[in-house]
Amino acid sequence: MSPASRLVDRMIVGYQHRLSPRKGFTCAHLVAHGGRSCSAEVRDVVRRRGVLRGTVPTVLRFAACYRAATMLAQTDVRGVCCCGGIPIPFRF
């Protein structure tokens, strides 16, 4: 991995271990579709492709997360999403 990829990887790990558990909500894409969270997916993309080549897949994943949050907003669940003030379920 390049130095930039290692730095981004460490930043994602820091987010996953320090910030994410304290948010009180989870990734809308994970809630709506299962699989992996956006941070886990982006970390994998950065490790495989690097920072620059991973930019497009990262943007596409966050766009999919936003669409999932929009879909979940039409339900009766309540919470706060990483994509803004859109209702999604709290972590189970």
Side-chain angles (χ1 to χ4, degrees):
M1 274 196 313
S2 72
S5 296
R6 280 194 297 274
L7 175 64
V8 170
D9 185 61
R10 279 189 239 130
M11 290 171 63
I12 293 170
V13 169
Y15 164 79
Q16 289 174 329
H17 289 110
R18 303 231 189 279
L19 295 177
S20 186
R22 291 170 176 78
K23 294 184 313 193
F25 57 90
T26 191
C27 171
H29 192 276
L30 172 67
V31 171
H33 304 293
R36 297 168 46 175
S37 68
C38 288
S39 62
E41 190 65 33
V42 168
R43 182 176 183 217
D44 186 51
V45 167
V46 168
R47 294 182 80 168
R48 284 186 290 114
R49 296 184 176 197
V51 175
L52 291 178
R53 288 182 41 212
T55 301
V56 171
T58 297
V59 169
L60 292 174
R61 176 61 181 232
F62 287 142
C65 187
Y66 183 80
R67 285 191 306 273
T70 302
M71 178 188 71
L72 291 169
Q74 296 171 3
T75 67
D76 61 351
V77 294
R78 295 289 174 248
V80 180
C81 174
C82 58
C83 300
I86 301 166
I88 67 165
F90 287 100
R91 181 176 298 147
F92 303 95

